[in-house]
Amino acid sequence: MKGKSLLLHLGLSAGLMVSIFPFYWLLVMSTRTTADIYSFPPKMWFGPHLFDNIAGVLDSIDFFGAFLNTLFVASACTLLVLFFDSLAGFTFAKFSFPGKRWMFIVLLATMMAPAQLSLVPSFVIMAAFGWVGTFKALIIPGMANAFGIFWIRQYAEESVPSELLDAGRIDGCGFFRLYWNVALPILRPALSFLAAFTFIGVWNDYLWPLIILTDENKFTLQIALSSLNGIYTTDYAMVIAGTLMAVIPLIVLFLFISKQFISDIAAGAIKS
């Protein structure tokens, strides 16, 4: 048993090192120059150029403007996804209505199609609405998604007791009150994961903002950072520093959400 435990800990430690190394390398390269990045053997320790690279990023792009744009879009999309996906997932899980089975099959089928196939139709629709170049074109199409509905539906089916809903109905609760006061508190761990998944996805989205945004003042972080790549030469140390600045909020979010996620699971285990 001790040998198996030792092997398990060694395997977990090795996996942890492999997972952490890209972030460590990102941090190291952001403190170096482009010449250092190309040097061999590679320089594995921190250098003195972090603040120079950050200053270069701030001089080259409107980083804080793009940061606020991305924060607004990602936050709005996340809140809307949490509401609409949880509402739809709860309905699919705990209520019967005509066409439920076929609607869910169609929902699952949309998950199989590559997102790139919808780019042209989505752009045509946004142009017809006059939303090209606006934040509406980023937020409204992303206000619900098939994965989130599927995820909440699967979680609610197992976690929300039908007896609890029946008791709520006896007490006079309507549909929305059952959803808001009974289901949502139970769905908190699933919502925590969906919030992190959605926020990170929107924060890192590059292709759709690149297509739909036309005003530099409304560029998101990924679009703004892509402009650091020169036509003939690129200061990769500065690009990596900008990437580090964009990743730090996601790391903070992940640490917060993961702590909340674990605490919600533990609370649910104690209650059960």
Side-chain angles (χ1 to χ4, degrees), residues 1-13:
M1 292 296 294
K2 290 184 178 179
K4 289 183 179 179
S5 178
L6 179 61
L7 288 175
L8 177 62
H9 281 82
L10 288 175
L12 291 175
S13 299

Side-chain angles (χ1 to χ4, degrees), residues 141-258:
M143 64 192 300
N145 58 68
F147 170 77
I149 296 173
F150 173 77
W151 165 249
I152 296 296
R153 184 254 188 188
Q154 296 301 107
Y155 193 92
E157 238 182 13
E158 299 293 332
S159 301
V160 180
S162 298
E163 296 80 6
L164 192 60
L165 299 178
D166 292 337
R169 293 188 186 97
I170 293 173
D171 288 340
C173 293
F175 168 78
F176 193 79
R177 191 170 178 188
L178 287 174
Y179 159 75
W180 191 261
N181 293 109
V182 178
L184 276 190
I186 300 174
L187 295 175
R188 279 178 58 186
L191 293 175
S192 296
F193 168 78
L194 183 59
F197 182 84
T198 303
F199 190 92
I200 292 172
V202 176
W203 187 277
N204 290 330
D205 191 16
Y206 172 74
L207 186 57
W208 180 240
L210 178 66
I211 293 172
I212 207 68
L213 294 178
T214 56
D215 185 357
E216 289 188 4
N217 294 325
K218 294 183 178 179
F219 278 179
T220 58
L221 265 180
Q222 305 307 321
I223 308 303
L225 290 175
S226 68
S227 65
L228 294 175
N229 295 311
I231 298 176
Y232 301 107
T233 60
T234 300
D235 187 346
Y236 286 106
M238 184 174 66
V239 172
I240 293 173
T243 304
L244 176 66
M245 295 165 67
V247 165
I248 288 175
L250 297 184
I251 296 175
V252 174
L253 173 71
F254 176 78
L255 294 175
F256 174 77
I257 291 291
S258 62

Side-chain angles (χ1 to χ4, degrees), residues 26-110:
L26 176 71
L27 186 58
V28 169
M29 290 298 98
S30 65
T31 66
R32 294 286 181 175
T33 64
T34 300
D36 291 335
I37 294 175
Y38 284 112
S39 65
F40 186 85
K43 300 182 184 298
M44 302 296 294
W45 194 243
F46 303 103
H49 301 286
L50 175 62
F51 294 106
D52 294 335
N53 293 329
I54 291 176
V57 173
L58 298 179
D59 290 339
S60 302
I61 62 173
D62 181 13
F63 179 86
F64 293 109
F67 176 87
L68 292 176
N69 293 340
T70 309
L71 182 63
F72 169 71
V73 172
S75 300
C77 285
T78 300
L79 291 175
L80 290 172
V81 164
L82 289 179
F83 176 71
F84 287 109
D85 283 10
S86 62
L87 191 64
F90 170 62
T91 304
F92 271 116
K94 292 299 175 179
F95 291 86
S96 297
F97 51 88
K100 170 183 172 179
R101 180 170 176 269
W102 291 107
M103 288 176 66
F104 193 68
I105 291 174
V106 171
L107 180 75
L108 293 180
T110 62

